[in-house]
Amino acid sequence: MASLLSQIVHREPLGATAGNSGNPIERVRLVDGRELILKRVSADWDWMSRATDDGGRIVAMWDQGVFARMPASIEHTIVDVHRESAGWSVLMRDVSSKLLSEEVRHDRAVVRRLLTGVAELHNTFWGEDIPGLCSIEQRYGLLSMATAEREKGRREGDLIVRSWESFHDNAPADIAEVIATLADRPTLIGDELRKCSQTLVHGDLRLGNAGLDGDRLVLLDWGERTGIAPPAVELAWFIGFDAHRLAISPDDVIVEFRAAYGDRFEQRALDLGLIGGLLHLAAHQGLMLLTDDERRRAEARDHLSWWVTTVRRALETWSPSKL
């Protein structure tokens, strides 16, 4: 990496990453004419890294050869990774032309390709424990009140507080109580999820980080939330973050998820993953309800209603109140 960085002859700033993590991104040209994307990451300026205690997970993945073992169907984009005094740098291939459009609602065929590709990733690392990656509790702490307290006085901290207030104002009391319990003690559900089959999960599976390149699935933004967990943890984030961008229902997404795993599908992991998904995204659901756009607010109410119904059903199989 140090050698590649020394070969940069032109830089073009591209701003911060989607999601406002604060990490600067540049398009760079090397002396040999290659154009790559350079991202610099540090907990000094990236609140998401602070929230998930990320000290350089993508460096650990690179050093352990995780990217070299990715299935051929996955375009991970990573060219090199380098640790620096303040954080780390990541050089990536420029796949911007392959990314999924944000202007359309994607159909079942796209969802199937995405979930099938991710299942190949999961199957490749099935049953493995890769040290140094994001734990389930660290994932669920991203939008927690602990993060809000840490980021107090910053935009992110204040917004998380407002979003949790909105969630509690709009969610039924029984569901809000369960989520509040798990937010205070995420290990309760983390321990249950670790009893299910484990694999490497990308951690930030959403349409904004995905693309299609022929038969390959493009996946961006590795590291911070990449960890070991059941595949259903990945699914819940995808549904919670992107349901409004799909032309099929969350229930139909789950049908495609079941089909992608065949005999490896676990109903208990799905139930737990969906409960954890609402824990992980309660603040996000609350944020969506704060919009002044009535159409989007109505859509957000529908999504929250789906989560409430789905989680209430899942709680019949496991609940912290039964411990």
Side-chain angles (χ1 to χ4, degrees):
M1 169 67 93
S3 176
L4 288 176
L5 292 178
S6 70
Q7 297 177 42
I8 295 175
V9 296
H10 178 74
R11 297 173 179 267
E12 177 190 349
L14 299 179
T17 60
N20 298 314
S21 63
N23 295 314
I25 301 179
E26 300 174 290
R27 178 176 286 107
V28 300
R29 186 167 67 249
L30 305 187
V31 67
D32 63 8
R34 279 185 294 168
E35 289 196 345
L36 301 172
I37 302 298
L38 174 64
K39 179 168 75 170
R40 296 184 183 275
V41 188
S42 172
D44 289 349
W45 56 73
D46 179 1
W47 71 272
M48 293 186 186
S49 290
R50 291 192 295 271
T52 58
D53 300 316
D54 182 8
R57 293 187 179 107
I58 196 168
V59 181
M61 293 174 66
W62 182 262
D63 290 346
Q64 294 176 75
V66 174
F67 291 109
R69 294 180 52 210
M70 294 279 174
S73 58
I74 298 294
E75 165 56 281
H76 57 73
T77 79
I78 308 297
V79 175
D80 210 342
V81 179
H82 178 64
R83 188 177 289 281
E84 301 172 339
S85 58
W88 52 97
S89 292
V90 185
L91 270 174
M92 300 167 282
R93 287 177 284 277
D94 184 356
V95 293
S96 53
S97 65
K98 307 297 182 181
L99 298 181
L100 294 171
S101 170
E102 297 188 6
E103 305 302 321
V104 301
R105 291 196 178 219
H106 293 280
D107 62 16
R108 193 174 198 127
V110 170
V111 172
R112 180 175 297 157
R113 287 193 63 185
L114 189 151
L115 293 180
T116 300
V118 171
E120 290 188 39
L121 166 69
H122 293 162
N123 285 330
T124 298
F125 294 92
W126 199 265
E128 296 195 27
D129 183 13
I130 301 171
L133 302 189
C134 189
S135 72
I136 292 170
E137 288 84 355
Q138 287 168 329
R139 285 182 56 80
Y140 291 164
L142 175 64
L143 299 175
S144 67
M145 288 301 294
T147 296
E149 182 62 28
R150 185 186 300 111
E151 303 300 319
K152 189 175 182 179
R154 296 187 175 96
R155 173 182 176 274
E156 292 81 12
D158 296 342
L159 195 56
I160 289 172
V161 171
R162 290 179 57 216
S163 298
W164 272 103
E165 291 173 349
S166 173
F167 171 76
H168 282 287
D169 286 343
N170 288 277
D174 61 323
I175 298 298
E177 181 179 354
V178 168
I179 296 303
T181 297
L182 295 176
D184 288 339
R185 300 173 62 193
T187 298
L188 291 176
I189 191 165
D191 286 344
E192 292 300 316
L193 282 163
R194 280 185 284 272
K195 295 175 184 178
C196 304
S197 296
Q198 307 290 298
T199 188
L200 178 73
V201 294
H202 173 273
D204 192 10
L205 181 64
R206 53 190 176 89
L207 296 171
N209 284 335
L212 299 174
D213 185 6
D215 293 333
R216 306 184 76 198
L217 173 65
V218 177
L219 288 176
L220 302 177
D221 213 10
W222 299 85
E224 169 203 293
R225 276 162 281 173
T226 303
I228 301 299
V233 169
E234 193 111 91
L235 171 75
W237 176 261
F238 174 61
I239 290 176
F241 206 94
D242 275 340
H244 67 288
R245 293 184 56 192
L246 303 177
I248 65 173
S249 70
D251 289 320
D252 284 336
V253 174
I254 292 174
V255 169
E256 294 298 331
F257 174 81
R258 287 173 178 268
Y261 292 88
D263 293 342
R264 281 183 163 170
F265 169 76
E266 295 176 272
Q267 182 63 47
R268 181 170 178 77
L270 177 62
D271 290 338
L272 291 167
L274 290 169
I275 296 169
L278 185 54
L279 165 63
H280 197 181
L281 285 157
H284 177 71
Q285 297 299 319
L287 175 63
M288 296 300 100
L289 289 160
L290 290 174
T291 179
D292 292 329
D293 185 323
E294 178 54 38
R295 181 188 63 79
R296 293 181 62 190
R297 192 162 58 248
E299 189 175 63
R301 285 195 293 265
D302 288 343
H303 289 319
L304 179 59
S305 177
W306 180 87
W307 275 104
V308 166
T309 300
T310 302
V311 167
R312 188 173 278 142
R313 185 165 54 241
L315 288 168
E316 294 174 3
T317 63
W318 179 85
S319 170
S321 65
K322 298 177 181 178
L323 299 179

